[in-house]
Amino acid sequence: MTTPVDICNRALSLIGGRATIATFAEPGVEALQCRLHYEATRQSLLRRHPWGFARAQVALAELGNPPAPWRHQYAMPGRCLRLRFVMSAAAPVCPGMAVPSGGGFGNYQIGTTAGTDPHPVTVILTDIPNAMAVYTADIEDPGLWDAGFTTAMVHALAAAICQGITGDKGLSQALTQMAQLTVNTAMASSANESPSIRPTHTPDWIAARNGYGDITPLEAS
């Protein structure tokens, strides 16, 4: 089974050195750079595209007291890196299905409100009752990634840690360019395997709410 340390060692091999790591906690510049960049690189890459393996769907927990003009306020799902769309639990759809008139999809806005502790919490504001969210989850286990994402992660991590380990700007730039090509290839492959949901029209009540911030009711392709 592929582990995060395996991903790091593959990235280190792209830099051209012979050093490997056994754990993130060990001393040495290689482990230090992997500790600094591994999680941020994974999360950034997951956010860049609606990867099929990272798709999650859950009924949202209502918090109450939504700010005007919204009718409902829900807690953001745990481990959510990118909200793809919000829909009614009463009218679920499957990927690739045409969305009927009204569709069960709604506009939404991500915001922050005061929690009960009273630390601010991230919330989803929408007009949909009993809403469900489809989102990109933070999948930490490399064993659950698809092959394209794994390769992209290796290249992206190599680009991120190269400068701190080697000090070689030329190599760092070359790895960054290679990482971008690898990421683009992985995203294209993922898009071909994951049909999008696209509504057949925009309901009037969505169009009328344009003044309340950016609205993104679709799962990107």
Side-chain angles (χ1 to χ4, degrees), residues 82-119:
R82 176 184 176 184
L83 189 60
R84 302 188 186 185
F85 57 83
V86 178
M87 64 183 180
S88 170
V93 296
C94 298
M97 289 177 59
V99 179
S101 177
F105 285 82
N107 59 330
Y108 65 85
Q109 188 172 50
I110 297 173
T112 303
T113 189
T116 56
D117 39 1
H119 299 296

Side-chain angles (χ1 to χ4, degrees), residues 60-136:
L60 294 173
E62 187 147 15
L63 298 178
N65 300 317
W70 305 100
R71 296 188 180 95
H72 298 276
Q73 179 172 248
Y74 298 96
M76 182 68 72
R79 308 299 291 172
C80 175
L81 289 179
R82 176 184 176 184
L83 189 60
R84 302 188 186 185
F85 57 83
V86 178
M87 64 183 180
S88 170
V93 296
C94 298
M97 289 177 59
V99 179
S101 177
F105 285 82
N107 59 330
Y108 65 85
Q109 188 172 50
I110 297 173
T112 303
T113 189
T116 56
D117 39 1
H119 299 296
V121 295
T122 302
V123 296
I124 301 169
L125 305 170
T126 183
D127 290 334
I128 298 181
N130 302 314
M132 300 185 72
V134 174
Y135 62 97
T136 296

Side-chain angles (χ1 to χ4, degrees), residues 2-77:
T2 302
T3 67
V5 169
D6 294 330
I7 299 296
C8 290
N9 285 330
R10 287 176 61 182
L12 288 168
S13 72
L14 292 179
I15 296 175
R18 296 182 178 180
T20 60
I21 65 171
T23 71
F24 283 96
E26 68 186 53
V29 66
E30 290 82 10
L32 170 62
Q33 290 297 312
C34 289
R35 285 197 302 272
L36 287 174
H37 294 285
Y38 182 89
E39 183 172 357
T41 301
R42 182 192 72 241
Q43 292 182 345
S44 177
L45 193 55
L46 281 166
R47 279 182 54 83
R48 290 188 61 178
H49 177 78
W51 308 98
F53 71 87
R55 185 187 190 277
Q57 181 172 320
V58 69
L60 294 173
E62 187 147 15
L63 298 178
N65 300 317
W70 305 100
R71 296 188 180 95
H72 298 276
Q73 179 172 248
Y74 298 96
M76 182 68 72

Side-chain angles (χ1 to χ4, degrees), residues 15-17 29 33 161-172 175:
I15 296 175
V29 66
Q33 290 297 312
I161 66 178
C162 178
Q163 182 67 26
I165 293 175
T166 68
D168 188 332
K169 292 183 179 180
L171 178 59
S172 180
L175 287 173

